[in-house]
Amino acid sequence: MTYQAAAGDVRPVPDSASGPANERSAVIDLDAIRHNVRHVAAVASPAKVMAVVKADAYGHGAVPVARAALEAGARWLGVAHISEALALRAAGIEAPLLAWLHTPESNFSAAVAAGIDIGCSGWELDKIVLAAREQERPARVHLKVDTGLGRNGATLEAWDSLVGEAMEYQDEGLLRVVGIFSHLAVADEPHRPETDEQLKAFREVLAIAEDAGVDPEVRHLANTPATLSRPDTHFDLVRVGLGIYGLSPFEGQTPAELGLRPAMTVRTKVSHCKDVPAGQGVSYGLNYHTAGASTLGLIPMGYADGVPRVATGGPVRVEGRNYPVVGRIAMDQMVIDLGPRGVASGGASVLGAEAVLFGDGADGGPTADDWARAAGTINYEIVTRISPRVPRHYINEGQAEGQGGAG
Ligand SMILES: *Cc1c(COP(=O)(O)O)cnc(C)c1O
């Protein structure tokens, strides 16, 4: 038997009082989530919004984000794994819910039993039908076609026969083809022609399916960038992940320019502040040396918290200024160079000061995009990899069932 630690197993109990006083936390603003969902829903209308909450809602917390997204008008939820969908059902979430990435080990029976819609790229069909027979309940299936991404989805060559087989099973009452979908490859680069080609291919496969008698509730193609830049890709439903979290999928366009508000702020407290002489080497490898006598601030987060080790130079905001991380980022900690302060002789220490790695970027504060640049990656990865070691703290939770209104 393999032992898999649940995320909750490794979450530390906050040492200090709950709330923003925590030693370190990822603060998730559920009002920002709701704002972003409403904004995306207005852009997509009359198409409906599927809030994509895979990977623990890109690190934001699947259950609270799913609830906030549904409150704000998302009609569907989307995840990659059936196990992620089952966790949402276990939390009492009953909205239409699609899971699209499977292995032969996936629990299709549990998905059918829980009324989870199942993405099907081909081989899954027999497993899904087996599960439906077992559960004596028709499965809800979204057929997935590869229109050019070259990842999951049936090839165009296999589409005819997949649709034909699915319809035979539908006639037998074993499943219902609820949706037809595909995924875009380059929608974040709106000038590229491949999106047009994928759209054309998608229209063709829809026509084939309709000729075969498929009458889907939802046809869906658009991710966040396509939702924001290509109304012709909206069809009946848009699958929005990144935009729900308030981040921009486009190089050179800020969330604010897109009407979005970043929902996650990662912050901690400075855990040491000391004067050092000129030439002080900093952190493993001694790759950085102070230019002159200087004061170093120790930031108690590192790669075990999900800060990429390669992201030296990433900004940390302390007392209204952004300081680049100097030297190597370690497992638990990293260092900023504050310049000479003379704390030993009464200069201002920043011990215990609030240190923000990234947030909504207001007032020149650092952003997930800044860290993405420092790490040579994308904002998706920065927020998603913030580890379970960092407690999530929710603000603006609103009127949750069974609780008083926290505002
Ligand atoms: C992750 C994912 C999405 C969401 O993409 P964003 O760019 O975050 O909006 C949509 N569809 C599929 C199939 C996905 O895997």
Side-chain angles (χ1 to χ4, degrees), residues 32-108:
I33 301 279
R34 285 187 288 260
H35 163 86
N36 297 327
V37 170
R38 282 192 295 268
H39 178 70
V40 166
V43 169
S45 178
K48 304 296 182 222
V49 174
M50 172 187 285
V52 177
V53 295
K54 63 189 179 188
D56 204 23
Y58 295 30
H60 295 65
V63 169
V65 166
R67 291 209 175 104
L70 293 168
E71 282 163 19
R75 295 293 181 80
W76 289 72
L77 298 171
V79 292
H81 305 166
I82 286 174
S83 56
E84 295 176 306
L86 291 170
L88 291 168
R89 284 284 187 262
I93 292 171
E94 288 169 2
L97 172 53
L98 172 64
W100 53 69
L101 185 63
H102 318 295
T103 74
E105 304 300 319
S106 298
N107 196 340
F108 294 102

Side-chain angles (χ1 to χ4, degrees), residues 52 54 58 100 144 151 183 223-225 239-242 380:
V52 177
K54 63 189 179 188
Y58 295 30
W100 53 69
K144 184 164 196 183
R151 235 168 52 174
H183 196 33
N223 53 4
T224 295
R239 302 185 306 270
V240 183
L242 195 73
Y380 289 75

